Amino acid sequence: MNYGIAIHGGAGTILRSSMTPEKEKLYTEALKKAMETGYAILEKGGAALDAVEAAVRSLEDCPLFNAGKGAVFNHKGGHEMDASIMWGKDLTAGAVSLIKHVKNPVSLARAVMEKSENVFLCGEGAEEFAKEMKVEFAGEEYFHDAFRFEQWKKAQEQEGVYLDHNIESDVRGRMSEENTKDGSGIGPGTSDIGLSIDKKFGTVGAVALDKDGNLAAATSTGGMTNKKFGRVGDSPIIGAGTYANNHTCAISCTGHGELFIRSVVAYDISALMEYKNLSLREACEEVVMKKLVKIGGEGGLIAIDKHGNIELPFNSEGMYRAMKSSSGVEKVEIYK
Amino acid sequence: MNYGIAIHGGAGTILRSSMTPEKEKLYTEALKKAMETGYAILEKGGAALDAVEAAVRSLEDCPLFNAGKGAVFNHKGGHEMDASIMWGKDLTAGAVSLIKHVKNPVSLARAVMEKSENVFLCGEGAEEFAKEMKVEFAGEEYFHDAFRFEQWKKAQEQEGVYLDHNIESDVRGRMSEENTKDGSGIGPGTSDIGLSIDKKFGTVGAVALDKDGNLAAATSTGGMTNKKFGRVGDSPIIGAGTYANNHTCAISCTGHGELFIRSVVAYDISALMEYKNLSLREACEEVVMKKLVKIGGEGGLIAIDKHGNIELPFNSEGMYRAMKSSSGVEKVEIYK
């Protein structure tokens, strides 16, 4: 039996020309670490569900990615995070949105799935549930990141709402010119630990197939910089941002959430395989490179099918991604 | 070109044996009124989007149904309403959840669709958007209904979370015995206007096809009695509770929301038609009578396809429903 895992750290305008070898190394290492964390679980015979949760937690804990610790600021200067998880074995699922103080939203989503009668909990109510479940909380200071704060101030000045990648080059340009002497982009405006240099679309995710043939998927996000009105994207929406079904595949998406919701992207891949007998590759091509492109839905997804085939399609400039499978394939990639 | 509309006022344990002719008449009249309101728009050449919004507003304004005015009480004794709408012409959509003070949540969902960059707004943020949009608000007193309040107190005593229909017979029995002299169930515990006698599953919805061949769907709900933790069901989830696509069909669901989310019910009907070439009837049979039954997903849905065919399948005891089509078919039904 094949097994394997794929992860993503967001898609968007990620150009080789705007990367330095140092930044590239930081991203590559973080992706590799998350991938290896999940893969180790699968290798020992662990469940795909544990593998995707562990991989996503690793990405949530890393300030490079817009989820958990690296979550962007919303319009009010706070953080609102969304996450979801689905278990292909029995089609159970859990999702949370507008979470402000939970360290690892993906684990809260899993608690909703396993320890509540519900699938989707939202806002303060979801945090009340988190308290009852004794899920780990984190204060505002944990989520505060100097780069994210700069990003947000810039967005506020322009009264814009941004996907993570939209103002990346602006902010980086500004920081390089104004805040640093060496032009590296690492200056007083960046995070203390010097990691939050280069930012992108705002989502992380993982999909996995374990030795028992069970599929799982998980997604987590910090949303859009300066977002207003309790906006919720596709990440916590089962069928849109996340889906897993042992009969077909497991999917985690990253992209322009509104268009991914309207296109029911994650379930659409599964439906094309189940109803039209497309392969995973053909289904991904159809949805990401044709249907989404047609309506301007920028982004991508990671996918694994019940045989362990892995696809990492995206229609944007780049997507932080990694995969490792028992068949010996291993990749950590950023650009097209 | 055929055109037509279908509406529902919820599904669940609705038995002929527990109905009186008086109660039946009230429901029938309310369903007919909502259906005629939407149909009149279609007949005059209006848009399916206007027809479904108007029909759902009519049901939201009626205290018999668990949406808008008739919304049930949540755990904290307040109201949290969800709604969504989708336009099959261009696959645009709008959804809101955990709305407390908006008179017609379906119209707020439409404002999100047409006047924001987003698809899904949640909680206080969504109400801030509603204020900017000058959507009509209503105070707690508008949503307060004596029958709903009794239902909630009963649920609180038993520390239970109920779908609307679960405690219906209990509460009705209790009210008949304790609160009324004539056994009609109409007593001091019921609404002032004497309408809130018999309650069921908690959702309303409408689907329509207009003369221009455009499909639309809308759904609205007051959620589950005594629900906690900011629980969100399938009603505001595009793909689960609501979906419309001019190439296939328009769908609005009512049932056990968690199972409808996990099954991506509304989009599944569309996918079966598009990818497997099933007819609307075959797709409804497959999803409602087979797939949902298999996982215990009680409920039903209303569906109209691009040719004007209408299906009203449900796997529960009953579903409040009505339909009217330009081909001359007209129905208002409650039981199996």
Side-chain angles (χ1 to χ4, degrees), chain B residues 135-215:
Chain B
V135 165
E136 189 177 355
F137 277 65
E140 278 298 320
E141 71 291 352
Y142 173 77
F143 297 107
H144 190 93
D145 175 275
F147 177 86
R148 296 298 190 201
F149 191 69
E150 284 296 307
Q151 221 179 13
W152 172 63
K153 281 203 300 189
K154 180 91 176 173
Q156 285 242 319
E157 281 160 24
Q158 301 181 354
E159 289 194 22
V161 178
Y162 297 98
L163 290 177
D164 201 4
H165 71 123
N166 289 126
I167 53 169
E168 183 187 330
S169 54
D170 280 5
V171 173
R172 195 171 45 241
R174 180 172 157 234
M175 291 171 70
S176 304
E177 289 159 23
E178 295 171 17
N179 296 338
T180 73
K181 292 182 177 178
D182 61 2
S184 70
I186 304 176
T190 59
S191 160
D192 287 342
I193 52 166
L195 288 175
S196 304
I197 305 152
D198 200 358
K199 307 283 169 161
K200 24 71 257 168
F201 246 94
T203 326
V204 305
V207 296
L209 172 69
D210 63 31
K211 289 182 179 177
D212 296 325
N214 293 314
L215 288 162

Side-chain angles (χ1 to χ4, degrees), chain A residues 85-86 90-95 112-122 238-239 243, chain B residues 82 161-164 166 201 203 221 223-225 227-237 239-241 253-265 292 295-299:
Chain A
I85 192 164
M86 188 162 184
D90 56 9
L91 302 182
T92 50
V112 172
M113 177 176 114
E114 293 182 330
K115 295 173 186 168
S116 85
E117 297 296 308
N118 300 126
V119 167
F120 192 14
L121 301 183
C122 189
I238 299 303
Y243 188 73
Chain B
D82 308 328
V161 178
Y162 297 98
L163 290 177
D164 201 4
N166 289 126
F201 246 94
T203 326
T221 186
M224 295 162 83
T225 296
K227 79 187 175 80
K228 289 170 83 171
F229 302 136
R231 177 259 185 188
V232 174
D234 64 314
S235 300
I237 308 294
C253 298
T254 168
H256 196 147
E258 279 70 15
L259 293 162
F260 279 59
I261 291 176
R262 288 164 49 194
S263 304
V264 201
V265 169
L292 276 172
I295 60 167
E298 194 187 347

